[in-house]
Amino acid sequence: MTPPDDPAIVRVLAADGTFAPSPEAERYLPLIDALAVDDLQTFYRDMVMVRAFDLQATHLQRQGQLALWPPSFGQEAAQVGSVRATRPQDHIFPSYREHVVATTRGVDPIDIIRVMRGLTHGGWDPTDPRNGNTHIYALVLGSQTLHATGYGMGLVFDGRTGTGDPDSDAAVIVYYGDGASSQGDVHEAMVFANSYRTPQVFFLQNNQWAISVPVATQSRAPLHQRAAGYGMPSVLVDGNDVLASYAVSRVALDAARAGGGPQAIEALTYRMGAHTTSDDPTKYRTSDEEHSWAQRDPIVRLKTYLESKGAASVFFDEVDAEAQAYADDVRVRTNALGGLDASDMFAHVYSEFHPLMAEQERWLADYESAFEGGAS
Amino acid sequence: MTPPDDPAIVRVLAADGTFAPSPEAERYLPLIDALAVDDLQTFYRDMVMVRAFDLQATHLQRQGQLALWPPSFGQEAAQVGSVRATRPQDHIFPSYREHVVATTRGVDPIDIIRVMRGLTHGGWDPTDPRNGNTHIYALVLGSQTLHATGYGMGLVFDGRTGTGDPDSDAAVIVYYGDGASSQGDVHEAMVFANSYRTPQVFFLQNNQWAISVPVATQSRAPLHQRAAGYGMPSVLVDGNDVLASYAVSRVALDAARAGGGPQAIEALTYRMGAHTTSDDPTKYRTSDEEHSWAQRDPIVRLKTYLESKGAASVFFDEVDAEAQAYADDVRVRTNALGGLDASDMFAHVYSEFHPLMAEQERWLADYESAFEGGAS
Amino acid sequence: MTVPSIGTATLTMPFAKALNEGLRAAMTDDDRVLLMGEDIGRLGGVFRVTEGLQAEFGDRRVLDSPLAESGIVGTAIGLAMAGFRSVVEIQFDGFVFPAFDQITSQLAKITNRHEGALSMPVVIRIPYGGHIGAIEHHQESPEAYFTHTPGLRVVSPSTPNDAYWMIQDAVRSSDPVIFLEPKAKYWMKGEVDTAQRAVPLHASRIVRRGTDVTLVGHGAMVSMLLQAAALAEGEGVSCEVIDLRSLSPVDYGPILDSARRTGRMVYAQEAPGFTSLGSEVAATVMERAYFALEAPVLRVSGFDVPFPPAKLEGVYLPDVDRILEAVDRALAY
Amino acid sequence: MTVPSIGTATLTMPFAKALNEGLRAAMTDDDRVLLMGEDIGRLGGVFRVTEGLQAEFGDRRVLDSPLAESGIVGTAIGLAMAGFRSVVEIQFDGFVFPAFDQITSQLAKITNRHEGALSMPVVIRIPYGGHIGAIEHHQESPEAYFTHTPGLRVVSPSTPNDAYWMIQDAVRSSDPVIFLEPKAKYWMKGEVDTAQRAVPLHASRIVRRGTDVTLVGHGAMVSMLLQAAALAEGEGVSCEVIDLRSLSPVDYGPILDSARRTGRMVYAQEAPGFTSLGSEVAATVMERAYFALEAPVLRVSGFDVPFPPAKLEGVYLPDVDRILEAVDRALAY
Ligand SMILES: Cc1ncc(C[n+]2csc(CCOP(=O)(O)OP(=O)(O)O)c2C)c(N)n1
Ligand SMILES: Cc1ncc(C[n+]2csc(CCOP(=O)(O)OP(=O)(O)O)c2C)c(N)n1
Ligand SMILES: [Mg+2]
Ligand SMILES: [Mg+2]
């Protein structure tokens, strides 16, 4: 059984773009009905824009501008749906492939580029309101789930959640992958989250692969079933259906913020591209599989649906043009990125004075200036 | 709801010793019926003997003979039931409170004493047939679950399991506690066990406490429910009912050895004593709670049942005498234990030659002999 | 730094109690301070360092965490992101390793990763070291793992007064601090001046003046060094004793100054010697005080073996005799 | 050790291929040898070190593990208990820390804990170090954490020939071996003599003779040291270069001998300097070759900061110039 055919799945749009809610989707339909055409167009635009950016970044890597690029290609619906379900006060803890999530919350794509270019380990300041409470990428798989839980504990302790007002009650959403689900930290995050009843959504993007390892190696049982063991509600969603992803995320986030404790979502999706630009998926997966998933492309699906709802082709053209401009702008700005100052290395290792930093920074400056002076 | 009243529990003997199988116990009754009176008497003897030993060890600690003693008091039925369900070829991975398990498999109690006296970190040789494939105690909580899983992988790779012959197919049983269940290693052990379908039983003794922390802090949901998330069958058993513990363990072990993959058991029991001799439970739990569990004493329960089946009082007297002699013997041998040779420290750090060991051992020997010679 | 005396409030109390009082003061000063750990609430910790604090500050500020060290440190990091200052207790030294990734790859590096946009005021208290006759994993001295990790500060008090002040300073620090508590000292009584701060967190302290050999160590080693110095004095050897206090950064100024004055140094620690903090201090002192030394810096340490069973800890751990043997060797150069 | 020459079979191949061939030979020699790790099977590892081995030996001997490092090392331990010899691949240096407890408290100590009744023939291969312009966690040099841990052996080859033989010797060892593969060297070609074993696993090797200064390092640093030596020669300075090869134990004999001959030593490593292997070697050489040295042992290392973003790795990592600067300083004493 291909996972997306699991009867328990929440799906609103069929792979061919028709409106065909699965039985499990019934309860979410009021939320879908409440979406205006504008909202759907926003979802569509989000996905197209970031796909263009993602493709651009892949090209930039090929041109030697980036050290590495992990594409979000194929996972746009899972990401847009969930992030559009967040509220402004929510905190977002991505893993490292959540380009759609980050940019939709306000992160400047160039900041992601800077990470992958080797200019910074972080990229953006999560405390800067422009970044929409988006925390930086986590490269040690699973580590971020505990940070999210800790943040959620803080929300509980501060009474910033669970008061009953969805416009001020905050929640946390943390993203992780099918591979990361095997890490001990993810388990511990669920233990703590359920112990402290954090207002938290564990959002698992099951894109079928952890580099070359299929999800079946991580688990023989559907991953969303893990949640029940902690006493946590969970839902399986078609992650290539942006409407379903939106609806389940909205419900889960609002349940969490209302004091319902942590919630789990498994979004079935597919990494349509390589793991990263260093990877060659032909080594481990069939083109049949890739083709079958190409039939479920999340952007095509929503486009077909929008067309069936009467969206004009000019809309699509506009979005394409906008996406192209967005991606071009990233290229231009990437090419204009400057370098780093060696002393940056020492500046933020500690928040407070540290003698070794002062000493080594001074040594390096002296050494480099002696060098420039010609002495060696 | 007190956990032992969970309707899903497997229980054969009620707390008052009457034969009163719970609905979930029905399927195990043939196994219980197959037990001869001799078997029941063996279970009884095991429990009484080790309780006497356990009490003796506690006294020895109070007398300054041991650094520490973690009592098994109260958990005898969970341990005897499960270990008597193993077969000779099985491998046992205890945590650190499994005195009943270890001694029933053949470990000399003095070897456990030696660990707690500070004479050895290991105590016994798991490769010595006399120790019944009992691995040594694990003090880093949860770490042993991965070793058990790795061992189980080895059994699979070597074809030493799953052939269909229960007399030669081997299984592994690993013990851990409700507190340890929160550790990432336990999760990872379950992930690997299910991925490689190891012939393994995860035996959780939920004794309600992790030192001073109640099980509710580790999980709001019953812990046995975790197993389903990995695709692993699980069962909840009254761990103070030795018959039920035996039956569920037998079934799980045989299912595992037959190629059914890993299995989970949660045995609800109670740590009737202190966490260790360093602990003072009055700081964190009520005497009401202790009294209510005293009513469920596993030894009393089986004794009442045996009496109801017509066991003669001479049998109980004999067991008591035997237990007393056993405990006395431990005391005598403890008092006779010798010391250690300093060079032991260097002997087994590596299996092969290591220059630093040779050098430091020589240094120490020279230093000590210079000392004895009066030079300082 | 001369501070006008504002009257003294000197109390005598055991080391563990001084930590308890220091934590109480830190929690009273700043209601963002939380304590987290296994059994620290109702039980007050296995060494009773947090005794009474949950009763006083409530279970939202003194948390009995689930039993998972990576979880504890990882959630402390998330709490720091939410503006809290967590003090984590690791129950025993040997149980810090499951949290190692969260400490070294996360806690230590998060401020740097954020280019200073986030600080990480998390203290990790670790009862460490031997001398209590415990079973395995309850007597490790893991300082080298942490001092080698950029982004961490590592300190260790050796007296009740330092315990009282250093824990408060550690809590106030905006950087992560590994706070190593010599468990052999928990029951040692000493004077605590609750009115006046001792030396700064990262200063070393000369605890005995001397002219022939400098002895350096931290934690439980300090009293051992003082005993050795007293015995050496009887044989006409004058030892200066320095309590490191801060293991990262090391306050090299007074140490180098002392080495230059005495020309000889012995460094003592409980941890295995190979690639240890003792290696670092020895190498740096020999490099920087090169011309002033009359002998190499000698190291006295645990052997390069796993901490042995308790009955051998007396042989494993450096004692006064082994320190004196090194002093003799240093003098023989 | 003189072995009668049994004919040579010298092939030229890249470092990664030499490891691959070494693993193939080890697996052929002993069918208890298993490979475990993330993406090592069908993909052949992210550096292709295990390429083709799953196809050749089957998926029961080359396991694509679930994604959990503690799980991988912990199950490798259980497999060792069941009589297997596992070679674990950690995908990148920065991802070894989740396995830290299983490595330091379990793997390293199990033989000792069992008083020798069980051996632990587990090899942990870690692609380590910088020079490849990678993102965070992909360029660490974590050797000090392991060399400080009793019970582990730690080695690092610097040439294809050593890669080929040392991996086989590591697999044959009955003790756990941390096998650090300098990822900067994976693509470097060199001659491999498949007929005749090189020096023993724990021997250091003098790779260039010299008389004025001894340069010591391991992994990718060795070729850097050789370049520095070549440049120094142009300025009339004769450098001896020693490839450590074994980081624990350190083969001190040849190192001390060299230090005594040249009187000067520079130690170079990529890892941060504080409490590092460089501290250890420097301290020990200064202690043991005390009277023979003309200058302190100088250390060149990564700065005591988290490994910086790739665009700064050229500044962070010791290079030929920084080595030469230290050589000059050593000579100036
Ligand atoms: C702790 C850790 N181990 C290994 C890696 C190397 N690694 C990076 S991504 C990856 C696969 C991740 O798979 P998954 O969690 O499914 O996320 P996806 O790449 O599919 O988005 C691996 C093994 C890592 N980053 N962290
Ligand atoms: C990794 C780790 N952390 C902390 C400890 C200290 N410790 C020893 S026993 C214990 C409680 C264990 O509770 P549980 O797993 O329920 O087993 P029980 O003691 O009830 O048998 C703790 C916290 C430890 N041994 N290992
Ligand atoms: Mg994936
Ligand atoms: Mg318990």
Side-chain angles (χ1 to χ4, degrees):
Chain A
M1 184 172 69
T2 336
D5 300 328
D6 189 313
I9 204 164
V10 176
R11 181 192 293 119
V12 176
L13 298 182
D16 65 5
T18 55
F19 186 81
S22 66
E24 290 293 320
E26 292 296 335
R27 60 178 284 234
Y28 297 99
L29 292 181
L31 265 175
I32 307 287
D33 292 343
L35 289 170
V37 171
D38 251 20
D39 294 321
L40 302 189
Q41 293 190 338
T42 300
F43 292 174
Y44 181 76
R45 182 181 290 104
D46 288 342
M47 295 199 287
V48 173
M49 299 269 283
V50 180
R51 186 172 288 185
F53 159 56
D54 185 64
L55 202 66
Q56 180 68 270
T58 301
H59 290 322
L60 286 166
Q61 196 282 336
R62 298 259 174 264
Q63 291 155 18
Q65 295 290 332
L66 305 184
L68 189 84
W69 186 254
S72 49
F73 181 35
Q75 300 179 215
E76 294 88 350
Q79 295 188 19
V80 165
S82 54
V83 75
R84 284 290 173 195
T86 60
R87 297 180 188 257
Q89 70 272 23
D90 292 345
H91 275 254
I92 322 294
F93 287 81
S95 182
Y96 62 91
R97 201 188 287 289
E98 280 64 64
H99 314 318
V100 195
V101 171
T103 55
T104 305
R105 287 290 295 193
V107 171
D108 186 338
I110 202 73
D111 283 341
I112 309 179
I113 291 282
R114 288 167 57 243
V115 175
M116 302 299 167
R117 191 179 167 91
L119 284 170
T120 170
H121 291 322
W124 60 93
D125 176 357
T127 68
D128 180 335
R130 282 175 300 184
N131 294 317
N133 300 332
T134 310
H135 291 258
I136 61 173
Y137 282 179
L139 300 184
V140 179
L141 294 167
S143 61
Q144 77 281 12
T145 60
L146 280 167
H147 307 162
T149 297
Y151 199 94
M153 288 165 63
L155 292 176
V156 172
F157 298 165
D158 276 339
R160 287 163 58 204
T161 188
T163 70
D165 178 359
D167 292 327
S168 66
D169 285 341
V172 162
I173 183 167
V174 60
Y175 291 87
Y176 66 111
D178 48 296
S181 73
S182 292
Q183 288 285 346
D185 272 5
V186 174
H187 165 72
E188 298 188 11
M190 291 190 179
V191 168
F192 279 69
N194 284 283
S195 197
Y196 294 99
R197 290 183 65 77
T198 53
Q200 178 172 10
V201 173
F202 286 90
F203 195 92
L204 168 61
Q205 285 175 83
N206 176 354
N207 64 4
Q208 315 302 322
W209 292 94
I211 310 187
S212 70
V213 180
V215 60
T217 299
Q218 318 294 340
S219 189
R220 291 169 189 267
L223 285 165
H224 63 96
Q225 291 184 9
R226 297 244 172 105
Y230 305 92
M232 176 166 50
S234 77
V235 54
L236 177 69
V237 67
D238 185 333
N240 283 10
D241 175 358
V242 69
L243 300 186
S245 297
Y246 166 78
V248 299
S249 303
R250 187 75 175 185
V251 168
L253 282 161
D254 284 346
R257 85 176 73 254
Q263 318 278 321
I265 295 173
E266 178 184 0
L268 289 173
T269 179
Y270 194 70
R271 195 194 74 211
M272 289 174 74
H275 170 68
T276 67
T277 44
S278 308
D279 180 41
D280 173 8
T282 65
K283 292 225 163 206
Y284 52 82
R285 66 189 190 187
T286 64
S287 55
D288 273 6
E289 177 182 311
E290 294 185 355
H291 285 136
S292 100
W293 278 95
Q295 306 310 309
R296 303 186 187 123
D297 186 312
I299 295 186
V300 175
R301 191 182 305 194
L302 184 61
K303 186 174 185 189
T304 315
Y305 178 61
L306 282 171
E307 284 169 346
S308 78
K309 298 256 286 182
S313 73
V314 58
F315 164 72
F316 299 107
D317 295 344
E318 269 170 27
V319 169
D320 282 346
E322 206 179 329
Q324 198 48 55
Y326 182 66
D328 287 347
D329 178 59
V330 166
R331 192 189 62 245
V332 170
R333 291 199 288 152
T334 301
N335 291 330
L337 283 169
L340 293 173
D341 189 332
S343 69
D344 293 350
M345 236 175 2
F346 306 101
H348 304 297
V349 181
Y350 299 89
S351 291
E352 293 170 1
F353 175 78
H354 190 289
L356 225 47
M357 296 303 98
E359 186 182 302
Q360 295 186 359
E361 182 178 352
R362 199 165 48 238
W363 182 89
L364 181 61
D366 290 351
Y367 168 76
E368 294 201 321
S369 68
F371 226 75
E372 280 150 23
S376 165
Chain B
M1 185 172 70
T2 333
D5 300 326
D6 189 311
I9 204 164
V10 176
R11 181 191 293 118
V12 175
L13 299 182
D16 65 5
T18 55
F19 186 82
S22 66
E24 289 294 320
E26 292 296 335
R27 59 178 284 233
Y28 296 99
L29 292 181
L31 266 176
I32 307 286
D33 291 343
L35 290 170
V37 171
D38 251 21
D39 295 321
L40 301 190
Q41 293 191 339
T42 299
F43 293 174
Y44 181 78
R45 182 181 290 103
D46 288 342
M47 295 200 287
V48 173
M49 300 267 285
V50 180
R51 186 172 288 185
F53 159 55
D54 185 64
L55 202 67
Q56 179 67 269
T58 301
H59 291 323
L60 286 166
Q61 195 283 335
R62 298 261 175 263
Q63 291 155 19
Q65 295 289 332
L66 305 184
L68 189 84
W69 186 254
S72 49
F73 182 36
Q75 301 179 216
E76 293 89 351
Q79 295 188 20
V80 165
S82 54
V83 76
R84 284 290 174 195
T86 59
R87 297 181 188 258
Q89 70 273 22
D90 292 346
H91 275 254
I92 321 294
F93 287 81
S95 182
Y96 63 91
R97 200 188 287 288
E98 280 65 64
H99 315 319
V100 195
V101 171
T103 55
T104 306
R105 287 291 294 196
V107 171
D108 186 338
I110 201 74
D111 283 341
I112 309 179
I113 290 283
R114 288 167 56 244
V115 175
M116 303 300 167
R117 191 178 167 90
L119 285 169
T120 170
H121 291 322
W124 60 93
D125 175 358
T127 68
D128 181 336
R130 282 175 301 186
N131 294 317
N133 300 331
T134 311
H135 291 259
I136 62 174
Y137 281 179
L139 300 185
V140 179
L141 294 167
S143 60
Q144 77 281 10
T145 59
L146 281 167
H147 306 162
T149 296
Y151 199 96
M153 288 165 64
L155 293 176
V156 172
F157 298 164
D158 276 339
R160 287 161 60 204
T161 188
T163 70
D165 178 359
D167 292 327
S168 66
D169 285 341
V172 163
I173 183 168
V174 60
Y175 292 87
Y176 66 111
D178 47 296
S181 73
S182 293
Q183 288 284 347
D185 272 5
V186 175
H187 166 72
E188 297 188 12
M190 291 189 179
V191 167
F192 279 70
N194 284 284
S195 196
Y196 294 99
R197 291 182 65 76
T198 53
Q200 177 172 10
V201 174
F202 286 91
F203 195 92
L204 167 62
Q205 287 175 82
N206 176 353
N207 65 5
Q208 315 302 324
W209 292 94
I211 311 187
S212 70
V213 180
V215 61
T217 298
Q218 318 293 340
S219 189
R220 291 170 189 266
L223 285 165
H224 64 95
Q225 290 184 9
R226 297 242 173 107
Y230 304 91
M232 175 166 51
S234 77
V235 53
L236 177 69
V237 66
D238 184 333
N240 282 12
D241 174 358
V242 68
L243 300 185
S245 297
Y246 165 79
V248 299
S249 304
R250 187 72 174 189
V251 168
L253 282 160
D254 284 348
R257 85 178 71 253
Q263 318 278 320
I265 295 172
E266 179 184 0
L268 289 173
T269 180
Y270 194 71
R271 196 193 74 208
M272 290 173 73
H275 169 69
T276 67
T277 44
S278 309
D279 179 42
D280 173 8
T282 64
K283 291 226 163 207
Y284 52 81
R285 67 188 190 187
T286 63
S287 55
D288 272 7
E289 177 183 310
E290 294 184 354
H291 285 136
S292 100
W293 279 94
Q295 306 311 310
R296 302 183 187 127
D297 186 313
I299 295 186
V300 175
R301 192 182 303 196
L302 183 60
K303 184 174 185 187
T304 316
Y305 178 62
L306 282 172
E307 284 169 347
S308 78
K309 300 256 285 183
S313 72
V314 57
F315 164 71
F316 299 108
D317 294 345
E318 270 170 27
V319 170
D320 282 346
E322 208 180 329
Q324 197 48 54
Y326 181 68
D328 287 348
D329 178 61
V330 166
R331 191 188 62 244
V332 170
R333 290 199 290 151
T334 301
N335 291 330
L337 283 170
L340 293 173
D341 189 331
S343 69
D344 293 351
M345 231 171 13
F346 306 100
H348 305 298
V349 180
Y350 299 90
S351 291
E352 293 170 2
F353 175 78
H354 191 289
L356 224 48
M357 296 304 99
E359 184 183 302
Q360 295 186 358
E361 182 177 353
R362 201 166 47 238
W363 183 89
L364 181 59
D366 289 352
Y367 169 77
E368 293 201 321
S369 67
F371 227 75
E372 279 149 24
S376 166
Chain C
M1 183 167 51
T2 41
V3 190
S5 167
I6 49 164
T8 58
T10 300
L11 302 165
T12 299
M13 61 180 89
F15 192 98
K17 179 69 179 160
L19 285 168
N20 180 273
E21 291 296 341
L23 287 169
R24 179 173 283 108
M27 294 185 79
T28 305
D29 282 2
D30 180 352
D31 65 10
R32 304 304 286 171
V33 174
L34 300 181
L35 311 189
M36 306 170 68
E38 296 158 6
D39 305 291
I40 65 164
R42 236 186 303 180
L43 187 63
V46 295
F47 291 107
R48 306 294 184 266
V49 169
T50 55
E51 183 133 55
L53 297 177
Q54 190 180 65
E56 188 169 338
F57 295 99
D59 63 6
R60 284 282 158 102
R61 294 192 61 200
V62 181
L63 315 182
D64 270 328
S65 309
L67 209 168
E69 288 76 10
S70 187
I72 297 171
V73 175
T75 55
I77 290 170
L79 281 159
M81 291 171 169
F84 290 86
R85 308 176 87 83
S86 295
V87 183
V88 164
E89 174 174 305
I90 297 292
Q91 196 160 79
F92 281 93
D93 34 60
F95 306 135
V96 71
F97 301 114
F100 207 70
D101 180 69
Q102 285 289 348
I103 295 175
T104 57
S105 288
Q106 308 302 328
L107 185 61
K109 293 182 175 155
I110 285 178
T111 295
N112 187 63
R113 191 173 293 149
H114 285 84
E115 292 160 4
L118 280 183
S119 63
M120 272 291 126
V122 175
V123 178
I124 303 195
R125 295 180 37 239
I126 310 180
Y128 89 100
H131 308 281
I132 66 162
I135 57 174
E136 204 187 351
H137 309 290
H138 294 69
Q139 63 288 81
E140 308 284 317
S141 291
E143 68 264 17
Y145 297 114
F146 302 114
T147 60
H148 182 57
T149 305
L152 299 177
R153 296 173 182 270
V154 186
V155 303
S156 182
S158 73
T159 66
N161 195 55
D162 269 352
Y164 179 77
W165 286 110
M166 287 171 77
I167 190 66
Q168 293 182 66
D169 288 343
V171 173
R172 270 207 195 90
S173 169
S174 298
D175 292 317
V177 178
I178 307 292
F179 194 88
L180 295 166
E181 302 174 1
K183 63 176 95 75
K185 294 285 150 193
Y186 274 138
W187 304 275
M188 176 192 68
K189 287 193 178 166
E191 293 201 337
V192 175
D193 179 350
T194 59
Q196 189 155 334
R197 198 162 228 85
V199 283
L201 185 60
H202 289 299
S204 60
R205 194 156 45 93
I206 299 182
V207 290
R208 179 188 171 113
R209 291 276 172 190
T211 53
D212 299 330
V213 186
T214 303
L215 311 182
V216 182
H218 69 268
M221 272 300 126
V222 176
S223 50
M224 209 76 94
L225 295 174
L226 285 169
Q227 283 175 54
L231 287 173
E233 186 167 38
E235 302 188 15
V237 177
S238 166
C239 294
E240 180 143 311
V241 178
I242 300 183
D243 180 356
L244 268 186
R245 295 178 78 257
S246 178
L247 318 191
S248 179
V250 164
D251 181 22
Y252 273 120
I255 295 169
L256 287 169
D257 175 65
S258 178
R260 291 189 186 107
R261 279 187 283 108
T262 64
R264 292 178 167 85
M265 182 175 289
V266 171
Y267 185 95
Q269 68 187 12
E270 298 184 23
F274 197 77
T275 320
S276 65
L277 186 59
S279 318
E280 170 60 34
V281 174
T284 296
V285 169
M286 286 192 273
E287 179 182 336
R288 307 231 176 138
Y290 187 68
F291 291 113
L293 291 183
E294 315 268 352
V297 175
L298 298 180
R299 290 164 281 158
V300 182
S301 69
F303 296 100
D304 288 300
V305 305
F307 201 103
K311 295 284 180 198
L312 281 180
E313 80 170 345
V315 183
Y316 175 86
L317 290 168
D319 61 6
V320 171
D321 290 323
R322 266 164 62 196
I323 294 162
L324 288 173
E325 187 269 349
V327 168
D328 288 347
R329 269 193 291 135
L331 287 166
Y333 270 81
Chain D
M1 183 168 54
T2 42
V3 191
S5 165
I6 48 163
T8 59
T10 300
L11 301 166
T12 299
M13 63 180 87
F15 192 98
K17 179 69 179 160
L19 286 168
N20 180 274
E21 291 296 342
L23 287 169
R24 179 174 284 108
M27 294 186 78
T28 305
D29 281 1
D30 180 354
D31 65 11
R32 303 305 285 170
V33 174
L34 299 182
L35 311 190
M36 305 170 69
E38 296 159 7
D39 305 291
I40 65 165
R42 235 185 304 179
L43 186 64
V46 295
F47 291 107
R48 305 295 184 266
V49 169
T50 55
E51 183 133 55
L53 297 177
Q54 191 181 63
E56 187 170 340
F57 296 99
D59 63 6
R60 283 284 157 101
R61 294 192 62 201
V62 181
L63 315 182
D64 270 328
S65 309
L67 209 169
E69 288 76 10
S70 187
I72 297 171
V73 175
T75 55
I77 290 170
L79 281 159
M81 291 172 169
F84 289 86
R85 308 175 87 83
S86 295
V87 183
V88 164
E89 174 174 304
I90 298 291
Q91 197 160 81
F92 281 92
D93 34 60
F95 306 134
V96 70
F97 301 114
F100 208 71
D101 181 70
Q102 286 289 347
I103 296 175
T104 56
S105 288
Q106 307 303 329
L107 185 61
K109 293 182 175 154
I110 286 179
T111 295
N112 188 63
R113 191 174 293 150
H114 285 84
E115 293 161 4
L118 280 183
S119 64
M120 272 292 125
V122 174
V123 178
I124 302 194
R125 295 181 37 240
I126 311 180
Y128 89 100
H131 307 281
I132 66 162
I135 56 174
E136 204 187 350
H137 309 292
H138 294 70
Q139 63 287 81
E140 308 284 317
S141 291
E143 69 262 18
Y145 297 114
F146 302 115
T147 60
H148 182 57
T149 305
L152 299 177
R153 296 172 184 271
V154 186
V155 302
S156 182
S158 73
T159 66
N161 196 54
D162 269 352
Y164 179 77
W165 287 110
M166 287 171 76
I167 190 66
Q168 293 182 65
D169 288 344
V171 173
R172 271 206 194 90
S173 170
S174 298
D175 291 317
V177 178
I178 307 292
F179 194 87
L180 294 166
E181 303 174 1
K183 64 176 95 74
K185 294 286 151 192
Y186 275 138
W187 304 275
M188 176 192 68
K189 287 192 177 167
E191 294 201 337
V192 175
D193 179 350
T194 59
Q196 190 155 332
R197 199 160 227 87
V199 284
L201 185 60
H202 290 299
S204 60
R205 195 156 45 94
I206 299 183
V207 290
R208 179 189 171 111
R209 290 277 172 188
T211 53
D212 298 330
V213 184
T214 304
L215 311 182
V216 183
H218 69 269
M221 271 302 126
V222 176
S223 50
M224 209 77 93
L225 295 174
L226 285 169
Q227 283 175 53
L231 286 173
E233 187 167 38
E235 300 188 17
V237 177
S238 164
C239 293
E240 179 142 312
V241 178
I242 300 183
D243 179 356
L244 267 187
R245 296 177 80 257
S246 178
L247 318 190
S248 179
V250 164
D251 181 22
Y252 272 121
I255 295 170
L256 288 169
D257 176 65
S258 178
R260 291 188 186 107
R261 278 187 285 107
T262 64
R264 293 176 166 84
M265 181 175 287
V266 171
Y267 185 95
Q269 68 186 12
E270 298 184 23
F274 197 78
T275 320
S276 65
L277 186 59
S279 318
E280 170 59 33
V281 174
T284 296
V285 169
M286 286 191 271
E287 179 181 336
R288 306 230 176 141
Y290 187 69
F291 292 112
L293 291 183
E294 315 268 353
V297 176
L298 298 181
R299 290 164 280 158
V300 181
S301 68
F303 296 100
D304 289 300
V305 305
F307 200 103
K311 295 284 178 197
L312 282 180
E313 80 171 346
V315 183
Y316 175 86
L317 290 168
D319 60 6
V320 172
D321 289 323
R322 265 163 64 196
I323 294 162
L324 288 173
E325 189 269 350
V327 167
D328 287 349
R329 269 194 290 135
L331 288 166
Y333 270 80

